[in-house]
Amino acid sequence: MRAALQRFRTLGYANTSLDELAAATGVNRPSLYATFGDKKALYLAGLARTHAIIDSTFAALHDVHYPPEKMLKALFLGAIEGFLTGEYGPSGCIAVNTAAAEAVADADIRAALADFMQLQDGWIEKLMEQAGTADPRGDAQIASSVIHSLSTRARAGTPRAELIAIAKKATALLLA
Amino acid sequence: MRAALQRFRTLGYANTSLDELAAATGVNRPSLYATFGDKKALYLAGLARTHAIIDSTFAALHDVHYPPEKMLKALFLGAIEGFLTGEYGPSGCIAVNTAAAEAVADADIRAALADFMQLQDGWIEKLMEQAGTADPRGDAQIASSVIHSLSTRARAGTPRAELIAIAKKATALLLA
């Protein structure tokens, strides 16, 4: 599943064939079909796995009770470092950058993307609330928006230093 | 070209075949090939056209010399209303939401996406400078980031009222 996720994340959903998934995972096509049904089911299972990983990452960040500035630093820098990984180079977030391309034409992928964003907004709201900011929901939506952009910018080739500068600016605005 | 752009914007690059482009534009495949070369050339021409439209839209906004709050309102609400249009429903920005899916595997599309972001960041920096904000470049990168997210959220089905609330919150942070 991890190898399949990397393929989807690198190439996007539409560019990833079952042959490529078979090659990447070392599992033949009939077995992939037998286990997951079809390419879309495998992609949605990959998004669900990413969803679960993000959920536990946010839960861990919530557990440590960081003060506001340290929390935002962990949030943004953690996101940036993740977005800069990938098979061939910086690949951002699979949900934001591959599901969005399918979201208009495919209602299931659109729903999965919306769930993903709701999970992210919701957790960041909890973190903002814990940090005692005045408008946790609004602050969370902006922090989450900046993360969406950092992901897209990473995929566009923006260097780490510029991504970090954007994260620092967002932190300054949110803590002002 | 407008019809081809709509197809690419709705379905994404990989899902749009030359047959679909021929059907959408009413131009047959051989003529499309003769005029543009191939699907990628047509897509890049579409991005360049979008680039030119965005450029003149920003130039017009710069010409009117709005005070800061009015400028940000025009910027964000104009973006949101554009993102909510589409063939079948809210389709966001073609560059942010379809080029990003191709950007890791295709260097030309990655470069076009990076140019698009630079254009947007650069114009918003000029608008911030004109509005007299203390950190035009940093403020512009945050405003531009919020626009990337509004586009992605529109594609995920986020309702207008929530997009507008995010824009208002971003405006409040930037003007604080």
Side-chain angles (χ1 to χ4, degrees):
Chain A
M1 175 57 86
R2 188 183 291 188
L5 257 180
Q6 273 302 330
R7 285 275 77 185
F8 279 130
R9 182 175 171 228
T10 303
L11 297 177
Y13 173 72
N15 285 315
T16 307
S17 66
L18 272 168
D19 283 335
E20 264 152 350
L21 290 168
T25 58
V27 178
N28 62 31
R29 282 180 59 145
S31 301
L32 281 175
Y33 273 119
T35 311
F36 292 100
D38 60 11
K39 187 176 91 162
K40 186 165 131 181
L42 182 53
Y43 180 71
L44 291 173
L47 286 186
R49 185 194 159 101
T50 306
H51 200 104
I53 293 168
I54 296 293
D55 195 41
S56 60
T57 304
F58 274 117
L61 185 54
H62 193 257
D63 279 351
V64 294
H65 280 78
Y66 278 147
E69 192 170 351
K70 198 167 177 183
M71 180 273 285
L72 287 172
K73 192 173 176 181
L75 180 68
F76 286 130
L77 297 193
I80 289 171
E81 292 311 315
F83 295 157
L84 290 175
T85 65
E87 275 188 310
Y88 311 138
S91 298
C93 164
I94 184 175
V96 168
N97 296 124
T98 72
E102 313 300 321
V104 176
D106 189 305
D108 297 323
I109 296 178
R110 182 164 68 250
L113 176 61
D115 282 352
F116 192 91
M117 289 184 159
Q118 209 171 349
L119 174 84
Q120 196 176 48
D121 287 347
W123 265 117
I124 302 179
E125 183 178 349
K126 274 191 202 169
L127 289 166
M128 292 289 179
E129 210 169 79
Q130 189 183 62
T133 69
D135 174 18
R137 184 172 160 78
D139 290 341
Q141 285 174 323
I142 300 303
S144 192
S145 295
V146 169
I147 289 172
H148 298 159
S149 180
L150 290 170
S151 173
T152 310
R153 289 175 190 268
R155 248 177 120 82
T158 304
R160 175 183 274 109
E162 193 174 331
L163 300 178
I164 292 175
I166 294 172
K168 282 189 180 166
K169 175 72 189 182
T171 302
L173 284 175
L174 288 166
L175 296 180
Chain B
M1 174 58 85
R2 189 182 290 187
L5 257 179
Q6 273 302 329
R7 285 276 76 184
F8 279 129
R9 184 176 170 229
T10 303
L11 297 177
Y13 174 71
N15 285 317
T16 307
S17 66
L18 273 168
D19 283 336
E20 263 151 351
L21 290 168
T25 59
V27 178
N28 62 32
R29 281 180 62 144
S31 301
L32 281 176
Y33 273 120
T35 311
F36 292 101
D38 60 9
K39 187 177 92 163
K40 187 164 132 181
L42 183 52
Y43 180 71
L44 291 173
L47 286 185
R49 185 193 160 101
T50 306
H51 200 104
I53 293 168
I54 296 293
D55 195 41
S56 60
T57 305
F58 274 117
L61 185 54
H62 192 257
D63 279 351
V64 294
H65 280 78
Y66 279 146
E69 191 170 351
K70 199 167 175 181
M71 181 274 287
L72 287 171
K73 192 173 175 180
L75 179 69
F76 287 129
L77 297 194
I80 288 170
E81 291 312 315
F83 296 156
L84 290 175
T85 66
E87 276 189 308
Y88 311 137
S91 298
C93 166
I94 183 175
V96 168
N97 296 124
T98 73
E102 313 300 321
V104 176
D106 189 304
D108 298 323
I109 296 178
R110 182 163 67 249
L113 176 61
D115 283 352
F116 192 92
M117 289 184 160
Q118 209 170 350
L119 175 84
Q120 196 176 48
D121 286 348
W123 265 119
I124 302 179
E125 182 178 349
K126 274 190 203 170
L127 289 166
M128 292 289 180
E129 211 168 78
Q130 189 183 63
T133 68
D135 174 19
R137 184 173 161 76
D139 290 341
Q141 285 174 323
I142 300 303
S144 192
S145 295
V146 169
I147 289 173
H148 299 159
S149 180
L150 290 170
S151 173
T152 310
R153 289 175 191 269
R155 247 176 121 82
T158 304
R160 176 183 272 108
E162 194 174 331
L163 300 178
I164 292 174
I166 294 172
K168 282 189 179 164
K169 175 71 189 184
T171 302
L173 284 176
L174 289 166
L175 297 180

